[in-house]
Amino acid sequence: SVLCVLPFMSGPPSGSETLTSKLGQLWKVTPVEPGYGRAHYGMATVFYRRDQLNEAIRAYLQACRHSPNSMEAFNDLGRAYYRTKQYDKAVAAYEKALALKPDTR
């Protein structure tokens, strides 16, 4: 069941139909593999691209919880917080991302 996330991860989706279909695929993964951080990250990315920022934040938080060493998840969480004007939370997420990959400063 984890394999259904791979088409999304192999390339960026384009168009709302593609995003919707990829989101459906990702929703199938999370109940079977609730700790699978990449599935949560994929869902968050789809929500973010659809400007569903509150849903994106919830999914990025799950991705960070299940993949605590994912610099990308924390960085993208920071972007979502920034776009929703939650600047303190954005800074904290960016700092965590930098701590995970300090050579990106």
Side-chain angles (χ1 to χ4, degrees):
S1 60
V2 174
L3 294 177
C4 66
V5 77
L6 295 178
F8 175 79
M9 296 301 162
S10 64
S14 59
S16 63
E17 284 188 313
T18 303
L19 288 173
T20 301
S21 68
K22 296 302 179 187
L23 186 58
Q25 291 174 5
L26 291 165
W27 274 119
K28 291 178 187 175
V29 173
T30 53
V32 177
E33 298 287 339
Y36 191 58
R38 293 300 293 174
H40 292 285
Y41 180 79
M43 283 192 303
T45 301
V46 171
F47 284 134
Y48 186 88
R49 289 180 182 174
R50 295 174 75 176
D51 286 325
Q52 295 176 288
L53 299 176
N54 290 326
E55 292 86 351
I57 288 169
R58 281 193 289 275
Y60 281 132
L61 286 169
Q62 287 298 313
C64 292
R65 183 172 148 235
H66 296 295
S67 298
N69 295 318
S70 173
M71 185 274 300
E72 294 85 3
F74 283 99
N75 184 67
D76 291 350
L77 174 62
R79 287 189 318 144
Y81 277 139
Y82 182 83
R83 287 197 49 211
T84 58
K85 299 180 178 13
Q86 297 181 65
Y87 301 118
D88 291 342
K89 290 180 178 182
V91 169
Y94 287 139
E95 287 175 346
K96 177 67 175 175
L98 283 172
L100 291 168
K101 190 162 179 138
D103 60 328
T104 58
R105 289 183 182 205

